[in-house]
mmCIF file of all heavy atoms in Angstrom:
data_model
loop_
_atom_site.group_PDB
_atom_site.id
_atom_site.type_symbol
_atom_site.label_atom_id
_atom_site.label_comp_id
_atom_site.label_asym_id
_atom_site.label_seq_id
_atom_site.Cartn_x
_atom_site.Cartn_y
_atom_site.Cartn_z
ATOM 1 N N GLU A 76 -11.603 8.010 -2.102
ATOM 2 C CA GLU A 76 -12.960 8.105 -2.596
ATOM 3 C C GLU A 76 -12.940 7.938 -4.113
ATOM 4 O O GLU A 76 -11.926 8.156 -4.769
ATOM 5 C CB GLU A 76 -13.571 9.464 -2.219
ATOM 6 C CG GLU A 76 -13.731 9.673 -0.721
ATOM 7 C CD GLU A 76 -14.411 10.995 -0.403
ATOM 8 O OE1 GLU A 76 -15.006 11.581 -1.338
ATOM 9 O OE2 GLU A 76 -14.342 11.429 0.756
ATOM 10 N N GLU A 77 -14.069 7.562 -4.679
ATOM 11 C CA GLU A 77 -14.128 7.290 -6.119
ATOM 12 C C GLU A 77 -13.656 8.486 -6.940
ATOM 13 O O GLU A 77 -12.937 8.327 -7.928
ATOM 14 C CB GLU A 77 -15.557 6.903 -6.517
ATOM 15 C CG GLU A 77 -15.692 6.531 -7.993
ATOM 16 C CD GLU A 77 -17.103 6.099 -8.346
ATOM 17 O OE1 GLU A 77 -17.940 5.991 -7.425
ATOM 18 O OE2 GLU A 77 -17.375 5.870 -9.541
ATOM 19 N N ARG A 78 -14.047 9.688 -6.528
ATOM 20 C CA ARG A 78 -13.674 10.861 -7.315
ATOM 21 C C ARG A 78 -12.177 11.132 -7.293
ATOM 22 O O ARG A 78 -11.652 11.822 -8.161
ATOM 23 C CB ARG A 78 -14.419 12.088 -6.789
ATOM 24 C CG ARG A 78 -14.003 12.527 -5.392
ATOM 25 C CD ARG A 78 -14.671 13.816 -4.992
ATOM 26 N NE ARG A 78 -14.161 14.315 -3.721
ATOM 27 C CZ ARG A 78 -14.474 15.505 -3.226
ATOM 28 N NH1 ARG A 78 -15.304 16.304 -3.869
ATOM 29 N NH2 ARG A 78 -13.967 15.895 -2.070
ATOM 30 N N ASP A 79 -11.482 10.584 -6.286
ATOM 31 C CA ASP A 79 -10.042 10.823 -6.170
ATOM 32 C C ASP A 79 -9.198 9.681 -6.734
ATOM 33 O O ASP A 79 -7.970 9.765 -6.726
ATOM 34 C CB ASP A 79 -9.655 11.053 -4.701
ATOM 35 C CG ASP A 79 -10.153 12.388 -4.173
ATOM 36 O OD1 ASP A 79 -10.264 13.326 -4.973
ATOM 37 O OD2 ASP A 79 -10.442 12.477 -2.966
ATOM 38 N N GLU A 80 -9.826 8.641 -7.234
ATOM 39 C CA GLU A 80 -9.056 7.509 -7.755
ATOM 40 C C GLU A 80 -8.125 7.877 -8.913
ATOM 41 O O GLU A 80 -7.066 7.267 -9.071
ATOM 42 C CB GLU A 80 -10.004 6.380 -8.156
ATOM 43 C CG GLU A 80 -10.600 5.670 -6.937
ATOM 44 C CD GLU A 80 -11.519 4.532 -7.322
ATOM 45 O OE1 GLU A 80 -11.760 4.353 -8.531
ATOM 46 O OE2 GLU A 80 -12.017 3.848 -6.401
ATOM 47 N N PRO A 81 -8.486 8.875 -9.774
ATOM 48 C CA PRO A 81 -7.543 9.258 -10.841
ATOM 49 C C PRO A 81 -6.175 9.721 -10.321
ATOM 50 O O PRO A 81 -5.191 9.704 -11.070
ATOM 51 C CB PRO A 81 -8.270 10.396 -11.559
ATOM 52 C CG PRO A 81 -9.722 10.126 -11.335
ATOM 53 C CD PRO A 81 -9.782 9.566 -9.932
ATOM 54 N N TYR A 82 -6.111 10.110 -9.047
ATOM 55 C CA TYR A 82 -4.835 10.594 -8.518
ATOM 56 C C TYR A 82 -3.825 9.468 -8.307
ATOM 57 O O TYR A 82 -2.624 9.728 -8.185
ATOM 58 C CB TYR A 82 -5.062 11.374 -7.224
ATOM 59 C CG TYR A 82 -5.651 12.735 -7.496
ATOM 60 C CD1 TYR A 82 -7.024 12.941 -7.424
ATOM 61 C CD2 TYR A 82 -4.846 13.796 -7.882
ATOM 62 C CE1 TYR A 82 -7.585 14.174 -7.716
ATOM 63 C CE2 TYR A 82 -5.385 15.037 -8.167
ATOM 64 C CZ TYR A 82 -6.766 15.218 -8.091
ATOM 65 O OH TYR A 82 -7.299 16.444 -8.388
ATOM 66 N N LEU A 83 -4.292 8.225 -8.294
ATOM 67 C CA LEU A 83 -3.352 7.106 -8.284
ATOM 68 C C LEU A 83 -2.462 7.179 -9.504
ATOM 69 O O LEU A 83 -1.230 7.074 -9.414
ATOM 70 C CB LEU A 83 -4.123 5.783 -8.277
ATOM 71 C CG LEU A 83 -4.638 5.264 -6.947
ATOM 72 C CD1 LEU A 83 -5.620 4.122 -7.176
ATOM 73 C CD2 LEU A 83 -3.489 4.809 -6.070
ATOM 74 N N GLN A 84 -3.077 7.376 -10.673
ATOM 75 C CA GLN A 84 -2.307 7.440 -11.906
ATOM 76 C C GLN A 84 -1.546 8.749 -12.006
ATOM 77 O O GLN A 84 -0.400 8.778 -12.453
ATOM 78 C CB GLN A 84 -3.233 7.271 -13.109
ATOM 79 C CG GLN A 84 -2.475 7.288 -14.447
ATOM 80 C CD GLN A 84 -3.380 6.980 -15.626
ATOM 81 O OE1 GLN A 84 -4.494 6.495 -15.456
ATOM 82 N NE2 GLN A 84 -2.893 7.259 -16.829
ATOM 83 N N ILE A 85 -2.164 9.848 -11.570
ATOM 84 C CA ILE A 85 -1.499 11.144 -11.664
ATOM 85 C C ILE A 85 -0.213 11.158 -10.845
ATOM 86 O O ILE A 85 0.825 11.663 -11.296
ATOM 87 C CB ILE A 85 -2.464 12.266 -11.221
ATOM 88 C CG1 ILE A 85 -3.568 12.460 -12.269
ATOM 89 C CG2 ILE A 85 -1.719 13.577 -10.991
ATOM 90 C CD1 ILE A 85 -4.664 13.419 -11.835
ATOM 91 N N ASN A 86 -0.264 10.582 -9.634
ATOM 92 C CA ASN A 86 0.950 10.511 -8.819
ATOM 93 C C ASN A 86 1.998 9.629 -9.478
ATOM 94 O O ASN A 86 3.173 9.998 -9.581
ATOM 95 C CB ASN A 86 0.624 9.968 -7.421
ATOM 96 C CG ASN A 86 0.133 11.028 -6.458
ATOM 97 O OD1 ASN A 86 0.821 11.420 -5.514
ATOM 98 N ND2 ASN A 86 -1.070 11.530 -6.692
ATOM 99 N N ALA A 87 1.584 8.459 -9.947
ATOM 100 C CA ALA A 87 2.536 7.540 -10.567
ATOM 101 C C ALA A 87 3.116 8.108 -11.853
ATOM 102 O O ALA A 87 4.305 7.924 -12.156
ATOM 103 C CB ALA A 87 1.859 6.202 -10.830
ATOM 104 N N ASP A 88 2.279 8.816 -12.647
ATOM 105 C CA ASP A 88 2.742 9.352 -13.930
ATOM 106 C C ASP A 88 3.902 10.334 -13.763
ATOM 107 O O ASP A 88 4.768 10.429 -14.644
ATOM 108 C CB ASP A 88 1.595 10.050 -14.659
ATOM 109 C CG ASP A 88 0.641 9.070 -15.313
ATOM 110 O OD1 ASP A 88 0.971 7.869 -15.361
ATOM 111 O OD2 ASP A 88 -0.444 9.498 -15.763
ATOM 112 N N TYR A 89 3.906 11.057 -12.655
ATOM 113 C CA TYR A 89 4.976 12.043 -12.448
ATOM 114 C C TYR A 89 6.341 11.374 -12.480
ATOM 115 O O TYR A 89 7.325 11.942 -12.956
ATOM 116 C CB TYR A 89 4.772 12.769 -11.122
ATOM 117 C CG TYR A 89 5.855 13.789 -10.828
ATOM 118 C CD1 TYR A 89 5.820 15.057 -11.388
ATOM 119 C CD2 TYR A 89 6.919 13.482 -9.979
ATOM 120 C CE1 TYR A 89 6.803 15.992 -11.127
ATOM 121 C CE2 TYR A 89 7.913 14.409 -9.708
ATOM 122 C CZ TYR A 89 7.840 15.663 -10.286
ATOM 123 O OH TYR A 89 8.830 16.582 -10.021
ATOM 124 N N TYR A 90 6.407 10.151 -11.983
ATOM 125 C CA TYR A 90 7.695 9.471 -11.862
ATOM 126 C C TYR A 90 8.092 8.711 -13.133
ATOM 127 O O TYR A 90 9.144 8.077 -13.172
ATOM 128 C CB TYR A 90 7.686 8.548 -10.637
ATOM 129 C CG TYR A 90 7.590 9.367 -9.372
ATOM 130 C CD1 TYR A 90 6.354 9.631 -8.786
ATOM 131 C CD2 TYR A 90 8.716 9.938 -8.802
ATOM 132 C CE1 TYR A 90 6.247 10.436 -7.654
ATOM 133 C CE2 TYR A 90 8.624 10.727 -7.672
ATOM 134 C CZ TYR A 90 7.401 10.982 -7.104
ATOM 135 O OH TYR A 90 7.302 11.778 -5.995
ATOM 136 N N THR A 91 7.274 8.830 -14.174
ATOM 137 C CA THR A 91 7.675 8.240 -15.455
ATOM 138 C C THR A 91 8.748 9.066 -16.144
ATOM 139 O O THR A 91 9.490 8.552 -16.983
ATOM 140 C CB THR A 91 6.465 8.100 -16.394
ATOM 141 O OG1 THR A 91 5.920 9.406 -16.665
ATOM 142 C CG2 THR A 91 5.406 7.194 -15.773
ATOM 143 N N ASP A 92 8.812 10.353 -15.829
ATOM 144 C CA ASP A 92 9.828 11.194 -16.472
ATOM 145 C C ASP A 92 10.579 12.067 -15.467
ATOM 146 O O ASP A 92 11.172 13.079 -15.823
ATOM 147 C CB ASP A 92 9.210 12.074 -17.562
ATOM 148 C CG ASP A 92 8.158 13.035 -17.031
ATOM 149 O OD1 ASP A 92 7.737 12.864 -15.873
ATOM 150 O OD2 ASP A 92 7.752 13.948 -17.768
ATOM 151 N N HIS A 93 10.538 11.699 -14.194
ATOM 152 C CA HIS A 93 11.300 12.412 -13.170
ATOM 153 C C HIS A 93 12.074 11.380 -12.346
ATOM 154 O O HIS A 93 11.473 10.592 -11.607
ATOM 155 C CB HIS A 93 10.383 13.215 -12.244
ATOM 156 C CG HIS A 93 9.738 14.394 -12.910
ATOM 157 N ND1 HIS A 93 8.594 14.261 -13.667
ATOM 158 C CD2 HIS A 93 10.069 15.706 -12.942
ATOM 159 C CE1 HIS A 93 8.236 15.454 -14.130
ATOM 160 N NE2 HIS A 93 9.108 16.346 -13.709
ATOM 161 N N ASP A 94 13.374 11.371 -12.508
ATOM 162 C CA ASP A 94 14.224 10.447 -11.760
ATOM 163 C C ASP A 94 14.587 11.075 -10.424
ATOM 164 O O ASP A 94 15.164 12.162 -10.370
ATOM 165 C CB ASP A 94 15.502 10.128 -12.536
ATOM 166 C CG ASP A 94 15.210 9.356 -13.816
ATOM 167 O OD1 ASP A 94 14.267 8.548 -13.790
ATOM 168 O OD2 ASP A 94 15.901 9.578 -14.817
#
Side-chain angles (χ1 to χ4, degrees):
E76 295 183 15
E77 183 178 354
R78 67 174 186 172
D79 289 330
E80 287 181 355
Y82 286 96
L83 278 168
Q84 182 174 345
I85 289 173
N86 276 251
D88 283 350
Y89 179 81
Y90 294 94
T91 62
D92 61 348
H93 291 83
D94 294 325

